[in-house]
Amino acid sequence: MSLSCSLSTCVDGDAPTASCESQPSVHWAQGIDASILPRIFEQGTTIAVMQRALSPSLERSIQAQCDTERRWSFQWLGVPDAAMKRELRRSMPAPEQACPLVDDVVLLTQAMAMLFDTDTLGIRLRLLDSAMCPRFHCDKLPVRLVTSYRGPGSEWLPESAVNRAGLGAPSPDKPETLRQAHAIQRLGTGDLALLKGDGWSGNEGRGLVHRSPAQQAGETRLLLTIDPS
């Protein structure tokens, strides 16, 4: 079943630790089918994760784009159309091996456009050699899709592990945001995650707290983010 087709049906997903019945405050949804992603529309859900394994052809395409000294990036704001696909391919350092990766990005943008009923998306694909946002924070926008094609996935916190008084710019009088270091969750490489932010109507002050993962010296990370507008 294709990603875009399966988004029309919602199913229950498995939580990282315990069932929703035993933990009524659980605010995540997780599963191996794309139909888990629409659970982000549930009032109490602030992260929906589709776990997936990347195909060998996609992994080869990703590797080709990461075997470069150039820290390249692609940005697009608008309709995910044929022009976007051409520009995406043109931006890659190994365009002759780009098709599987380009096709996956296009599939995800089309699925996001359908899921959020919008023609306009903000798309960024970046090859990184350091953490962009190493501090725990929550986004002010309504929702964002994130996936790491290569390298470690984003880290996020269950609400029980968060002290929201510690969010924002650091200062000497602020407490630590992280209450329980053992509670940190990490997305797997290839996983698709919808992160609900403070800008989602009715979710003010409850945006998912997350951060960029630490990267080892010489390690690169290929990160895709998609923001519906």
Side-chain angles (χ1 to χ4, degrees):
M1 181 181 292
S2 71
L3 177 65
S4 57
C5 290
S6 59
L7 287 177
S8 60
T9 304
C10 295
V11 297
D12 289 337
D14 296 327
T17 53
S19 68
C20 293
E21 287 77 10
S22 62
Q23 291 191 19
S25 62
V26 163
H27 56 90
W28 56 81
Q30 182 170 286
I32 61 173
D33 191 87
S35 55
I36 202 71
L37 295 176
R39 296 261 319 254
I40 197 67
F41 289 99
E42 296 177 6
Q43 183 174 2
T45 300
T46 56
I47 178 171
V49 181
M50 175 189 165
Q51 300 166 312
R52 66 168 184 164
L54 303 177
S55 70
S57 62
L58 179 53
E59 287 189 327
R60 288 192 295 270
S61 182
I62 293 166
Q63 182 67 41
Q65 310 314 318
C66 295
D67 286 343
T68 175
E69 296 298 321
R70 177 167 64 92
R71 294 300 170 256
W72 61 274
S73 66
F74 166 79
Q75 296 188 54
W76 183 268
L77 178 61
V79 179
D81 55 11
M84 185 275 287
K85 185 175 181 178
R86 287 193 301 271
E87 287 301 314
L88 174 58
R89 181 186 176 94
R90 188 177 296 123
S91 73
M92 293 185 177
E96 70 283 355
Q97 296 172 274
C99 281
L101 179 54
V102 169
D103 288 346
D104 194 70
V105 173
V106 170
L107 175 64
L108 297 182
T109 57
Q110 291 173 343
M112 285 288 284
M114 183 189 71
L115 183 61
F116 292 99
D117 191 23
T118 181
D119 293 328
T120 305
L121 298 171
I123 304 159
R124 289 187 293 179
L125 181 64
R126 289 163 285 184
L127 184 62
L128 306 169
D129 55 12
S130 62
M132 288 193 313
C133 303
R135 289 178 53 83
F136 279 114
H137 65 283
C138 61
D139 297 328
K140 301 303 180 184
L141 47 72
V143 66
R144 167 171 287 166
L145 181 138
V146 300
T147 187
S148 293
Y149 282 115
R150 176 176 175 171
S154 299
E155 296 177 346
W156 61 275
L157 295 179
E159 190 62 29
S160 61
V162 176
N163 181 354
R164 289 187 177 269
L167 293 173
S171 64
D173 59 336
K174 275 194 175 180
E176 287 291 327
T177 303
L178 177 62
R179 294 185 188 274
Q180 305 162 3
H182 67 274
I184 297 174
Q185 304 290 322
R186 174 179 282 183
L187 301 175
T189 302
D191 287 354
L192 306 176
L194 290 173
L195 315 183
K196 189 181 288 181
D198 278 354
W200 186 288
S201 179
N203 196 59
E204 297 82 357
R206 294 190 62 252
L208 184 85
V209 176
H210 61 286
R211 71 180 179 186
S212 300
Q215 292 177 231
Q216 301 298 321
E219 181 180 43
T220 57
R221 182 180 184 221
L222 186 59
L223 177 68
L224 173 70
T225 63
I226 304 176
D227 302 338
S229 300

